Amino acid sequence: MRRLLTLREGSIVVVTILAIAYFAVANDRFLTSANFKTLLPYFAPFAILAVGEVMLMVAGEIDLSIGSVYLFAPFMFYEFHQLGLPLVVDLLLCLVCAALIGALNGVLTAVVGISSFIVTLGTLLGVGGLTLIISGAAPVAMPGAEVHTTTESVKKVVNGHTITLQEQVNHVGGFARVFGAGIYSELIWALLAVALLHVVLRSTRWGMYTVAVGGNRHGAAEAGIKVRSIVIRNFVLCALLAGFVGVLEAMRASSVTPDTAGASETMFRAVSAAVIGGTLLAGGEGTVVGALLGALFLGVLRDGLVLDGVSADYLDFILGFAILIAMAVNIYVGRVRKGSGHA
Amino acid sequence: MHEERGIGGSGRSEVNADIAAEALDRLEWRDARRSTPERAPRFAMARRAALTGGGAALASAMLAACSSGSDAKASSGSAGDTFGSSKKLKFVFVNHVTTNTFFVPTRYGAQDACDLFGAQYQWTGSENSNVNEMVNAMNTAITGGADGLAVALVDDKAFNSPTDAAIKADIPVVGYNADASTNSRLAYIGQDLFASGQEMGNRIVDLVGSGPVALFIATPGSTNLQPRIDGALSVLKAHPSITTSTVATGAAIPAELSTIDSYVTAHSDVKGLFAVDAGSTQSIAQTMQKHSLRGKGVKAGGYDLTPITQKLLASDQLDFTIDQQPYLQGFLPVLELYLYTVSKTLSGMADVNTGLKFLDKTTVKPYNSTKSRYEGSSKAAGVSKS
């Protein structure tokens, strides 16, 4: 226990376990495999968004535009598909579009020198508007995510007798299953993204330079780190992940609606997952694994509260206070950690 | 008979019909279950955690108090005797704009029906038409063992697989407010959107006769609006003397108002302004008033009743509005889901068209002079003078 608490992610682990324990006691459906599958989309997409945000926040910047990029990418995917390109090419091209937005954010921030908050606020609105224009404000069905229903013979054992029943079975294409529509698809992508970026941030030059840039920009520049290149690279990474999650989520729902009102909410959930996980808004310190846990905590709260039958009017109210109280606990546990001399 | 579908909950089969006895029974059974030896350590630890600074747990505990508030209350009516079922059914409404005032009467309708049948309902979904969030809420409801789902099917495809999953798990699903043609929901309760659009088209032909007409829609393509405008256009196509233009106005009322305002300024020859959503209809009425378009013989109309639409319709700024009775869209899903469940699937499901109620400046009067749950203008039962 003491060892766990000395980790940077220790406090959010404790808080998440407390939340899970509460819901496990309060509702006997919470700790079931069915609910585990239900829980996945509550946190996996936000975990991927959050780890991209962590890389930027460690470098002392923030990207508010991820909500719009998340919305924009699946529409570009659809448009490229309309041109007759195969699905994999559509995906790559729409990710290139997302990366370009990230590069634009990076150049405006690092080269032109506008604060990243304002730059990405601008692209949040601009890219959201662009999505509305491209889509004609109309929802589209995601190519490759069509569901086919077939009737199959399923063998079942009833009272010791094996009988064959005709059952309707739904199928989704392999591409869609890999990219979002499969039950564990988003979880696997999230774990991959977390593992990869954890290594990048902890053990590579890119990661160390990112921490240095966020901690002391002048010092980093004087030490010979190419600050601009690091900042732009992290913006591109963040936008790339946002676009990717956008496609995953659109594939999962099999269609996508240009609701720009939801864009900022998506962004706020990702940023709050990063901060709850232990990344400093001020930069210089952060954890990728913490972002995953932060997203998990928020997902557990939402799923658990809906499962407990909380109606919409009360949900935000309870969610808000739950986050405040959990963060107070988080800080308290954090003090224990600092007191242990491992800070 | 009472069925418990949760983990490790197979130990009970018989339940006294008396509701109070059942509640007591249930509590005792839960306590007994919690103290079975092999489960004890986990719960004991969780309890201890909750007592020693379990912040999240504490916060969540508030919901116990909150969810027993007005939204989740149930009465002990005699419905159980009438229908021979003592189980307190729990229905989940999945909505696309949970906090929108349009659905206040819908929630009153659901609550009133639940009170009648001794059932309870949960109102959840998304605040801003986020389809993924709605799908999540549906899946959680299925996992949570809801007894029935009512879903606003605002997307053509996205709800198909959760609907299939629910029906496979013996949880009935009805659509309300918006319908999707390929969805396997058991019934739809709401406006027949295309037919209502056709009726509006006929009204437009009667009112305008000939000339340019503008049709406003908040979000083109959404399944609860687009069919209306398609219906209207299908009728107007047969009348070449009327030329139509379709204008998207956006989902927020300020944007809708300025879009319609600038359209009218730029098209002074327009003979009619019609809308297929509540916000645009209200904005048309306000624009009509602002530019005194009534005096220039411009006709106008639309859908739904916001307080402003009601007032301006009464003061003759609009020719008509179409009421789709949101109260029924809450009441009837509960009624149908309840009957379907207690009749063990023998009865209950029926498509209901709740909305072809044209209101004009005379028939809108009682809407302006009264307050009621039916229009969402009062919490109190019955209809009172405003």
Side-chain angles (χ1 to χ4, degrees), chain A residues 165-184:
Chain A
L165 287 175
Q166 299 295 309
E167 217 171 72
Q168 299 273 313
V169 182
N170 289 334
H171 302 280
V172 198
F175 181 87
R177 271 216 302 281
V178 173
F179 295 102
I183 293 171
Y184 298 105

Side-chain angles (χ1 to χ4, degrees), chain B residues 80-383:
Chain B
D81 300 338
T82 312
F83 297 106
S85 162
S86 62
K87 190 181 175 194
K88 184 175 175 185
L89 299 178
K90 186 190 158 195
F91 304 119
V92 178
F93 277 70
V94 179
N95 191 263
H96 52 299
V97 281
T98 49
T99 51
N100 191 304
T101 51
F102 173 86
F103 287 104
V104 171
T106 307
R107 293 158 73 172
Y108 285 143
Q111 181 63 58
D112 291 352
C114 283
D115 287 350
L116 278 180
F117 296 124
Q120 61 171 328
Y121 83 106
Q122 179 186 6
W123 183 257
T124 185
S126 167
E127 277 179 41
N128 40 40
S129 299
N130 185 331
V131 170
N132 286 87
E133 217 174 335
M134 294 175 70
V135 171
N136 287 353
M138 268 183 92
N139 287 331
T140 304
I142 297 165
T143 313
D147 295 298
L149 292 176
V151 185
L153 299 164
V154 290
D155 190 286
D156 250 344
K157 300 241 167 70
F159 302 106
N160 288 357
S161 39
T163 302
D164 293 345
I167 287 173
K168 207 169 230 176
D170 290 330
I171 300 171
V173 180
V174 299
Y176 74 99
N177 190 253
D179 200 14
S181 53
T182 57
N183 194 281
S184 48
R185 87 282 178 288
L186 300 171
Y188 170 64
I189 295 123
Q191 200 166 45
D192 182 336
L193 300 164
F194 190 81
S196 80
Q198 287 178 312
E199 279 305 310
M200 180 163 97
N202 290 328
R203 285 280 170 129
I204 294 173
V205 173
D206 292 346
L207 283 167
V208 179
S210 68
V213 161
L215 297 174
F216 297 98
I217 176 168
T219 47
S222 55
T223 58
N224 56 342
L225 300 179
Q226 188 67 39
R228 292 176 178 165
I229 215 160
D230 291 344
L233 289 173
S234 75
V235 170
L236 294 174
K237 232 176 16 200
H239 297 269
S241 55
I242 296 177
T243 53
T244 57
S245 49
T246 306
V247 184
T249 53
I253 286 200
E256 293 180 292
L257 187 55
S258 53
T259 307
I260 293 170
D261 198 342
S262 57
Y263 183 89
V264 168
T265 313
H267 300 81
S268 52
D269 61 334
V270 71
K271 287 279 179 289
L273 303 171
F274 300 93
V276 294
D277 62 280
S280 298
T281 304
Q282 164 180 334
S283 303
I284 284 181
Q286 287 170 306
T287 309
M288 291 284 290
Q289 190 179 38
K290 181 180 168 191
H291 296 282
S292 316
L293 295 177
R294 256 310 188 226
K296 296 171 192 157
V298 178
K299 306 293 181 188
Y303 279 81
D304 296 343
L305 289 147
T306 70
I308 294 176
T309 304
Q310 273 168 231
K311 284 212 182 68
L312 292 177
L313 177 60
S315 63
D316 198 30
Q317 298 298 334
L318 289 176
D319 289 283
F320 66 85
T321 191
I322 302 168
D323 180 12
Q324 57 168 317
Q325 305 195 78
Y327 182 88
L328 283 185
Q329 297 182 11
F331 192 91
L332 293 181
V334 171
L335 175 75
E336 295 199 0
L337 290 169
Y338 182 83
L339 285 179
Y340 187 79
T341 311
V342 296
S343 73
K344 307 216 184 303
T345 76
L346 295 176
S347 182
M349 289 300 156
D351 288 346
V352 180
N353 184 357
T354 62
L356 250 186
K357 206 174 160 200
F358 277 85
L359 297 176
D360 60 23
K361 65 179 175 185
T362 320
T363 49
V364 79
K365 273 182 188 151
Y367 290 79
N368 281 329
S369 61
T370 59
K371 280 183 166 183
S372 70
R373 287 168 78 85
Y374 308 108
E375 292 302 312
S377 47
S378 164
K379 273 189 178 180
V383 179

Side-chain angles (χ1 to χ4, degrees), chain A residues 29 38 42 255 306 312-313 316, chain B residues 107 123 127 140 143 145 155:
Chain A
R29 296 284 164 91
T38 307
Y42 276 93
S255 81
V306 176
D313 287 353
D316 283 350
Chain B
R107 293 158 73 172
W123 183 257
E127 277 179 41
T140 304
T143 313
D155 190 286

Side-chain angles (χ1 to χ4, degrees), chain A:
Chain A
M1 190 68 183
R2 196 165 189 86
R3 212 182 132 83
L4 173 74
L5 287 178
T6 57
L7 291 171
R8 176 151 194 87
E9 298 85 6
S11 46
I12 184 65
V13 170
V14 172
V15 169
T16 309
I17 291 174
L18 286 180
I20 292 173
Y22 168 77
F23 287 117
V25 174
N27 194 311
D28 55 8
R29 296 284 164 91
F30 189 77
L31 284 185
T32 58
S33 64
N35 188 51
F36 178 69
K37 287 176 195 162
T38 307
L39 177 64
L40 296 178
Y42 276 93
F43 80 92
F46 297 102
I48 305 177
L49 290 173
V51 294
E53 199 68 66
V54 164
M55 292 298 284
L56 257 183
M57 282 162 61
V58 169
E61 306 290 351
I62 193 163
D63 188 349
L64 307 180
S65 71
I66 51 169
S68 286
V69 175
Y70 162 95
L71 202 59
F72 171 71
F75 281 99
M76 291 312 292
F77 184 95
Y78 174 80
E79 293 299 327
F80 287 125
H81 189 78
Q82 292 302 97
L83 298 177
L85 300 169
L87 294 171
V88 177
V89 180
D90 300 333
L91 178 66
L92 291 176
L93 285 177
C94 84
L95 291 182
V96 169
C97 291
L100 285 176
I101 296 167
L104 176 72
N105 283 335
V107 169
L108 286 174
T109 304
V111 181
V112 181
I114 311 171
S115 129
S116 61
F117 187 91
I118 299 299
V119 168
T120 55
L121 184 67
T123 41
L124 173 72
L125 293 173
V127 174
L130 186 61
T131 310
L132 285 174
I133 295 168
I134 292 171
S135 63
V140 297
M142 280 303 275
E146 299 86 3
V147 178
H148 309 283
T149 308
T150 53
T151 309
E152 287 179 12
S153 305
V154 181
K155 284 202 171 123
K156 284 196 171 163
V157 181
V158 179
N159 294 336
H161 300 280
T162 308
I163 52 167
T164 311
L165 287 175
Q166 299 295 309
E167 217 171 72
Q168 299 273 313
V169 182
N170 289 334
H171 302 280
V172 198
F175 181 87
R177 271 216 302 281
V178 173
F179 295 102
I183 293 171
Y184 298 105
S185 152
E186 288 182 328
L187 176 70
I188 292 167
W189 285 112
L191 294 178
L192 279 178
V194 168
L196 186 73
L197 287 177
H198 181 75
V199 172
V200 167
L201 187 62
R202 285 287 161 90
S203 321
T204 67
R205 194 160 288 177
W206 178 2
M208 277 179 265
Y209 286 176
T210 301
V211 175
V213 167
N216 181 347
R217 187 155 296 192
H218 285 291
E222 279 175 16
I225 296 175
K226 289 178 180 144
V227 173
R228 286 177 181 174
S229 150
I230 289 289
V231 169
I232 292 174
R233 214 191 292 181
N234 284 333
F235 265 113
V236 169
L237 175 75
C238 190
L240 204 60
L241 288 175
F244 184 62
V245 176
V247 174
L248 293 185
E249 282 285 88
M251 280 291 175
R252 182 168 72 86
S254 79
S255 81
V256 55
T257 311
D259 57 329
T260 46
S264 44
E265 201 192 318
T266 307
M267 176 271 293
F268 271 120
R269 278 201 213 168
V271 171
S272 46
V275 175
I276 287 171
T279 298
L280 293 186
L281 273 168
E285 233 182 304
T287 141
V288 170
V289 177
L292 172 73
L293 292 167
L296 178 63
F297 169 69
L298 290 177
V300 164
L301 272 187
R302 271 186 186 269
D303 177 48
L305 290 174
V306 176
L307 201 60
D308 263 358
V310 176
S311 279
D313 287 353
Y314 296 100
L315 185 69
D316 283 350
F317 176 79
I318 297 166
L319 203 57
F321 278 93
I323 290 172
L324 289 181
I325 293 170
M327 283 307 98
V329 174
N330 200 348
I331 298 283
Y332 178 77
V333 179
R335 274 194 208 131
V336 175
R337 174 168 66 92
K338 288 204 174 105
S340 73
H342 289 262

